[in-house]
Amino acid sequence: MLTISQLATYAGVTVRAVRHYHKIGLLPEPGRNRSGYRVYDAAAVVRLIRIRTLADAGVPLARVQELLDALPEEFADGVREIDKELRAEIRRLQGTRDRLARLAAGEHLALPQSVVDYLDRLRGIGVGERYIELERDAWILVAAQVPHLIDSVIAEKHQQLDDPDMVKLYGFFREALDWPVDDPRFVEIADLVERMMIRAVRAGGVGAEGFDDQFVDLLDSTMVDSSPGAERVLAILEERGWKGWTRIERVPADRLGTDHAPPPD
């Protein structure tokens, strides 16, 4: 007959594990000798080894009992079911790892690859990381609100980057976030934006197709909050009769016929 420590040694487990198996009912508690100590027989060793083997194989302790008492066919069915559950858990954990990897990558979190590629193109023309972060956050909002429009909007943004005025505008963003609000260069930025607005109006577009009014307001506020200079540019444009940023809401007809407008194509 064996003591609890001898049983644990034979089965390759700890005394603490034996006591835990007693507590949850996997290993029946034996009788005690005259001195009050538990005494175990060979059957207890065999059962404990089977418990340890199943647990080491990844079988949850809650499922060990049914396998210990199962007939051979039931045992095989049970093992297949547990294997199916484990494979599902592996897929879930792999998905978690993939999400963590995207989180570590920063921009890949909540953004499709097409937007990440566009942001990389902005880096390629020298746009600073502070502005990249602001634009990234705006794209996260767009991707969450209208994911079905992302591809078409990104395609349009790439076309805009073929415009020298757009490249020049982005060039300002290398340092414009730190300019004082009365910096005269904001007037030059407003001139650039106005020229592009005029071209957009002549082409029949006002921007933000598919965005509801509340979402347009949210994107505009995100831009305005990014820098006092952004608010200054909008103020200059409003003085000229324009209204709106994400979507052009008011068009000053007199500006379309001035020297600010490019010649018709």
Side-chain angles (χ1 to χ4, degrees):
M1 305 299 283
L2 304 174
T3 65
I4 190 171
S5 61
Q6 291 171 326
L7 170 71
T9 299
Y10 273 110
V13 300
T14 64
V15 170
R16 183 177 180 181
V18 175
R19 289 178 175 146
H20 179 65
Y21 296 150
H22 283 326
K23 183 177 180 180
I24 64 177
L26 281 180
L27 184 66
E29 291 197 42
R32 297 176 182 266
N33 61 19
R34 291 180 181 179
S35 300
Y37 293 103
R38 296 186 181 94
V39 289
Y40 299 87
D41 58 14
V45 178
V46 171
R47 185 173 180 87
L48 184 54
I49 290 174
R50 294 182 67 199
I51 293 171
R52 187 207 67 198
T53 302
L54 289 169
D56 288 348
V59 177
L61 288 181
R63 304 289 298 275
V64 167
Q65 181 71 57
E66 65 181 83
L67 293 183
L68 285 173
D69 300 332
L71 296 173
E73 186 176 342
E74 295 172 337
F75 183 89
D77 289 342
V79 168
R80 282 193 291 269
E81 180 63 27
I82 291 170
D83 179 65
K84 180 180 178 181
E85 293 171 0
L86 288 175
R87 283 187 279 114
E89 179 66 8
I90 289 170
R91 289 193 295 271
R92 186 190 68 79
L93 291 173
Q94 186 59 55
T96 299
R97 291 192 64 210
D98 292 343
R99 288 190 293 274
L100 288 173
R102 290 195 297 272
L103 179 61
E107 285 161 4
H108 289 78
L109 177 66
L111 281 179
Q113 187 61 45
S114 60
V115 177
V116 175
D117 292 342
Y118 175 73
L119 295 178
D120 284 341
R121 186 177 177 187
L122 294 185
R123 290 187 179 94
I125 63 174
V127 179
E129 285 301 320
R130 283 182 60 196
Y131 179 80
I132 292 288
E133 290 179 4
L134 295 171
E135 182 140 337
R136 178 200 64 203
D137 290 348
W139 282 112
I140 288 174
L141 293 174
V142 173
Q145 179 70 19
V146 285
H148 58 288
L149 296 179
I150 282 289
D151 289 344
S152 61
V153 174
I154 282 293
E156 182 178 348
K157 295 293 286 186
H158 277 294
Q159 289 179 354
Q160 290 174 357
L161 280 180
D162 295 331
D163 182 346
D165 276 345
M166 179 62 79
V167 174
K168 187 175 182 179
L169 177 62
Y170 271 121
F172 281 116
F173 295 146
R174 297 170 190 167
E175 52 188 51
L177 296 178
D178 295 320
W179 292 348
V181 70
D182 58 350
D183 192 302
R185 287 174 291 184
F186 284 124
V187 176
E188 186 176 354
I189 291 178
D191 290 342
L192 282 172
V193 173
E194 182 174 25
R195 285 202 297 270
M196 289 185 289
M197 283 179 161
I198 289 172
R199 284 197 289 269
V201 170
R202 286 183 168 178
V206 294
E209 290 84 356
F211 295 1
D212 61 41
D213 292 345
Q214 185 176 17
F215 188 57
V216 168
D217 290 342
L218 178 62
L219 290 176
D220 282 355
S221 67
T222 300
M223 187 278 298
V224 170
D225 293 343
S226 67
S227 166
E231 189 171 5
R232 171 67 179 140
V233 170
L234 281 183
I236 294 172
L237 291 171
E238 289 201 12
E239 289 171 1
R240 298 176 181 179
W242 298 90
K243 181 175 175 56
W245 182 265
T246 304
R247 175 196 294 144
I248 302 173
E249 298 178 354
R250 186 173 67 239
V251 180
D254 60 315
R255 302 293 290 184
L256 296 180
T258 68
D259 292 337
H260 291 276
D265 295 332

